[in-house]
Amino acid sequence: MARLPLIAAALLALGNGVLGVLKPCGKAQYDPTQYVCYDNQFLCPIIAGEPLSYCSGACYSKFQYKCVNNVLGVLPGLAAGTSFTLTVSNPTLPINGKFVTAGGLHLSLGGTTSSYCPTQVGSACPPGNITAISAGSYGGGLSMADMVPGGQQVYLDPNWNLAYTQAHSAYIPPGSTVSGFAAYAGGGLVNLNGNGWGWVGCPPTASGGGGGVWNLVARNSSNAASLNNCTPVNLKINTLPGGSYAWQYT
């Protein structure tokens, strides 16, 4: 991940329209709402509200990489079967710090977890009040951390929304994507599909019923033009003790 040359960064900021007062970084001027300056000579962009960190000539995201003794490396992946929740990270948005929640067989931002447990399960029912996901192998699939026989698989539907299967059914719509996720320990959930364009949060619309729940979409070359009203976000991983956190998610 190469750093952005000073002159190129300054010209890019001017071309995009200056949003803040320009500051010096070495011999260049930069917009602090779009970049951060390291050692008075290196500029790194702010992406999804995260000022990228600097490591020996490269800018990097702490949701995917680490810098140890000036050597850039990838964060370790979560062990398969590790349960975790996700929170939204983008300080510019009102949903910053809100949980990713399950409801209507989709994962959304800032909603309320929807789950169900049969009465006959009785006291063995998990609380079902948080949305927990179970890690698969690196670059592989994900599943919901629940108890229902057969489980519930997580996938990207044909419109690149993050969804999960109905309990007791393995049906996934044609054109969906079931792998290509990376869950990093101490980092975030990264979508490796679509050349790594990342996640976006799309605000509720009046036609969609309004409310405070945002839609979560994997952005890529096929849908970027239709997501102008959406904002890049990171998904922060919060690991949980092993186990199931709902009977099933609805």
Side-chain angles (χ1 to χ4, degrees):
M1 301 179 68
R3 64 182 173 85
L4 199 62
L6 293 178
I7 295 177
L11 291 175
L12 181 59
L14 290 172
N16 289 338
V18 176
L19 301 179
V21 177
L22 292 181
K23 292 186 176 182
C25 183
K27 296 181 179 180
Q29 298 289 309
Y30 75 101
D31 183 344
T33 67
Q34 298 184 36
Y35 300 93
V36 288
C37 178
Y38 293 99
D39 301 326
N40 198 35
Q41 58 180 323
F42 303 115
L43 284 172
C44 288
I46 299 173
I47 298 178
E50 177 199 9
L52 295 191
S53 299
Y54 177 78
C55 183
S56 190
C59 300
Y60 71 98
S61 170
K62 290 184 177 179
F63 289 92
Q64 190 173 3
Y65 298 93
K66 60 182 177 179
C67 184
V68 179
N69 297 325
N70 288 322
V71 176
L72 186 64
V74 179
L75 289 170
L78 288 182
T82 301
S83 298
F84 60 91
T85 62
L86 293 169
T87 47
V88 182
S89 180
N90 186 328
T92 69
L93 297 179
I95 55 170
N96 181 54
K98 299 290 187 180
F99 282 99
V100 173
T101 51
L105 301 182
H106 280 83
L107 292 168
S108 303
L109 308 177
T112 301
T113 296
S114 178
S115 65
Y116 165 78
C117 189
T119 55
Q120 59 266 35
V121 178
S123 60
C125 283
N129 57 353
I130 64 172
T131 298
I133 300 170
S134 181
S137 59
Y138 179 85
L142 303 170
S143 60
M144 304 304 290
D146 55 18
M147 295 178 66
V148 67
Q152 293 180 272
Q153 187 173 7
V154 176
Y155 64 94
L156 289 168
D157 71 17
N159 294 315
W160 299 97
N161 301 293
L162 198 58
Y164 51 95
T165 55
Q166 172 68 52
H168 309 295
S169 172
Y171 176 75
I172 293 175
S176 298
T177 303
V178 299
S179 61
F181 303 104
Y184 293 103
L189 178 66
V190 176
N191 170 35
L192 302 177
N193 298 288
N195 297 321
W197 285 38
W199 306 102
V200 294
C202 303
T205 61
S207 61
V213 181
W214 290 46
N215 193 32
L216 175 63
V217 184
R219 184 171 177 262
N220 56 61
S221 58
S222 69
N223 65 3
S226 65
L227 298 174
N228 292 331
N229 195 40
C230 305
T231 304
V233 296
N234 287 304
L235 300 181
K236 181 179 180 293
I237 283 179
N238 316 287
T239 55
L240 297 168
S244 299
Y245 289 83
W247 173 263
Q248 73 182 64
Y249 292 100
T250 57

